[in-house]
Amino acid sequence: MNFQKICVIGLGYIGLPTASTFAAHGIKVLGVDISPHIIETINKGQIHIHEPGLLEEVQKAIQSGNFRAATKPEDADAFIIAVPTPFQENKFGEYNGLTYKLADMRAVTSAAESIVPFLRKGNLVVLESTSPPRTTVDLVAPILARSGLKAGRDFHLAYSPERVLPGQILRELIENARVIGGVTPESAQAGYDLYGTFVKGQIIKTDATTAEMVKLMENTYRDVNIAIANEFSRLADKFGVDVWEAISIANLHPRVKILSPGPGVGGHCISVDPWFFVEAAPEITPLIYHSRQVNDAQPHFVVETIKRALGSLKGKKIAALGLAYKPDVDDLRESPANEVAQILQHEGAQVKAWEPFKPDANMPGIDMASSLEAAIIEADAIVLLVKHAEFLKFNPLEIAKKTSARIVVDTVNGWKKEAWENAGFTLLRLGKNKSPVENRKL
Ligand code: SAJ
């Protein structure tokens, strides 16, 4: 199938890079978003999110005439839906006394509805948003049928999840393997032809529900594996073992690859997607459910470690370094670092947070510092919450001159103990209650 013009609906972390990549490969792209502010920003050649290389790519796409943005779709050969699928705010599911979160599919629903007036015979519609199993056939296809056309007979319909890593989106969009699940083999082939314009990785064709499951399985696999790493950090703490040392030794086993413990699991993917499985089948997903519980509780465990380092939290001034959900991104959504800061504050500490990727973020309840210096100058303790590259380069001797703190807590294994101790600090690390030497003495 040949594509001259496409509409990409939703211009966020996935939609915007996808739209500009298609435009860079010679396809006319209309980017659609409900936010007039986003549309105006993009049409001016600016962007509203931080992603390395994206600004340049969007500017080139706009200048080439291949890309523009609008609040409504238009006639096109293909429509891609890349809108958010968050949780419902105030509604929960319940199974056997356990409560679970529910997907809010309103954005997918209205994106599909917005396509209906423009849908023509022979078009392709692709859902990219992470969704509960069967969304393509049970939610999207019936909405599109309001056009009088039937998915798989009159137009093609497919599900193709994005699998790119924030911070590496532009490269991974092109290089990663891509799965296209069609409601018919012809729909999968149409999706194959569309993404084939730029994807260099393998493109695998399957059915729509398999593709939905693949996406959820990937992120759930990671969540469950991070949960076990976090549980190991608690066990190591209890038994006076350095979890980082233990993991690095265990990982020498050829079939073991334990992930890293930390303050928890954040972002808009791994901490969200496993719930879609739980919602779809709570009676057969106890492992997935409990892994989510472990990771969601990890910020509290981290706060306990900090409390132990300081004796008590009441009135203590704590410099929190990093609020993003993971290293070197500006995304503060669903961030465990932010949750740690909130709990510390709630327990009586005075937190000053320094987030170099979003220094002027408005985080309710948190005092955002305007510089590293402002965050640490009067602190009782410095807490490393995110492994931003620039934090890892700190020279403890220089930091010592800028702060009254003599205690540092490293929750991500980012700093070398000796270097900080040589500069006069006491360093405590998550999952490292006592040194192995002390442990042996017991
Ligand atoms: N984390 C740990 N320990 C680890 C690895 C990660 O605590 O060993 C934490 C991070 O700090 C962060 C969270 O997990 O808070 C998630 O970070 P991540 O880098 O693992 O993943 P995301 O959420 O940025 O992106 C994931 C990716 N999925 C997989 O790696 C299976 C990406 O490929 C997906 O496209 C993306 O979710 C998505 O959009 O679904």
Side-chain angles (χ1 to χ4, degrees), residues 31 36 46 63 116 151 160 295:
Q46 292 163 6
Q63 277 157 18
V116 170
S160 181
N295 288 336

Side-chain angles (χ1 to χ4, degrees), residues 14 130 162-166 172 176 215 217-223 225-226 229-230 258-271 273 295 324-327 329 334-336 386 412:
I14 299 303
T130 306
E162 52 77 16
R163 297 147 104 192
V164 291
L165 199 65
E172 289 206 0
N176 284 5
K215 168 70 191 190
M217 280 163 54
E218 291 166 352
N219 282 350
T220 301
Y221 165 86
R222 209 156 156 82
D223 196 45
N225 280 282
I226 297 170
N230 283 334
I258 301 168
L259 296 177
S260 302
V265 172
H268 213 68
C269 312
I270 295 186
S271 63
D273 300 359
N295 288 336
Y325 88 91
K326 70 171 192 175
V329 299
E334 308 276 338
S335 166
V386 186
V412 290

Side-chain angles (χ1 to χ4, degrees), residues 69 74 88 225 253 315 332 376 413:
E74 295 173 0
Q88 297 192 34
N225 280 282
H253 187 290
L332 274 48
I376 64 175
N413 196 27

Side-chain angles (χ1 to χ4, degrees), residues 77-360:
D77 301 313
F79 299 87
I80 294 177
I81 300 175
V83 294
T85 45
F87 298 132
Q88 297 192 34
E89 290 281 336
N90 303 315
K91 211 171 144 207
F92 297 89
E94 207 180 311
Y95 175 76
N96 257 355
L98 303 178
T99 42
Y100 54 85
K101 300 186 183 183
L102 299 169
D104 178 349
M105 301 303 288
R106 281 178 299 178
V108 170
T109 301
S110 54
E113 286 169 349
S114 76
I115 295 172
V116 170
F118 304 98
L119 194 61
R120 306 280 175 261
K121 270 198 165 173
N123 280 171
L124 164 67
V125 179
V126 182
L127 175 64
E128 282 203 19
S129 311
T130 306
S131 302
R134 296 193 58 83
T135 297
T136 309
V137 284
D138 288 348
L139 178 72
V140 176
I143 294 173
L144 296 176
R146 294 179 202 160
S147 64
L149 303 175
K150 187 170 181 313
R153 184 192 67 193
D154 303 315
F155 68 94
H156 301 298
L157 175 62
Y159 180 78
S160 181
E162 52 77 16
R163 297 147 104 192
V164 291
L165 199 65
Q168 317 259 358
I169 292 180
L170 292 175
R171 186 178 57 76
E172 289 206 0
L173 262 182
I174 291 176
E175 291 177 7
N176 284 5
R178 181 129 207 157
V179 55
I180 316 266
V183 297
T184 57
E186 294 74 25
S187 289
Q189 182 60 43
Y192 183 100
D193 296 342
L194 176 63
Y195 289 95
T197 45
F198 68 76
V199 172
K200 295 214 171 75
Q202 198 185 348
I203 306 180
I204 302 107
K205 290 178 280 181
T206 182
D207 65 88
T209 309
T210 299
E212 289 165 349
M213 262 199 82
V214 165
K215 168 70 191 190
L216 297 179
M217 280 163 54
E218 291 166 352
N219 282 350
T220 301
Y221 165 86
R222 209 156 156 82
D223 196 45
V224 171
N225 280 282
I226 297 170
I228 200 159
N230 283 334
E231 214 158 84
F232 287 155
S233 75
R234 301 175 194 184
L235 286 163
D237 189 72
K238 184 174 172 75
F239 297 118
V241 163
D242 177 345
V243 72
W244 307 97
E245 183 196 1
I247 288 176
S248 69
I249 298 170
N251 281 348
L252 295 175
H253 187 290
R255 285 174 296 284
V256 174
K257 179 79 192 80
I258 301 168
L259 296 177
S260 302
V265 172
H268 213 68
C269 312
I270 295 186
S271 63
V272 179
D273 300 359
W275 288 116
F276 293 178
F277 271 146
V278 176
E279 173 180 358
E283 69 289 0
I284 47 173
T285 46
L287 175 67
I288 300 173
Y289 179 90
H290 287 290
S291 299
R292 278 279 74 244
Q293 299 288 91
V294 168
N295 288 336
D296 275 353
Q298 187 72 355
H300 292 274
F301 176 70
V302 168
V303 168
E304 285 309 309
T305 305
I306 300 169
K307 196 189 267 178
R308 207 164 55 210
L310 283 166
S312 120
L313 292 173
K314 293 257 169 333
K316 295 283 163 54
K317 294 183 176 144
I318 297 180
L321 300 192
L323 283 190
Y325 88 91
K326 70 171 192 175
D328 299 324
V329 299
D330 75 338
D331 194 344
L332 274 48
R333 298 173 302 172
E334 308 276 338
S335 166
N338 176 45
E339 203 178 330
V340 169
Q342 301 280 359
I343 303 169
L344 287 169
Q345 188 83 22
H346 186 74
E347 296 211 359
Q350 292 170 32
V351 178
K352 243 190 190 328
W354 168 234
E355 176 42 74
F357 285 88
K358 245 193 191 158
D360 44 15

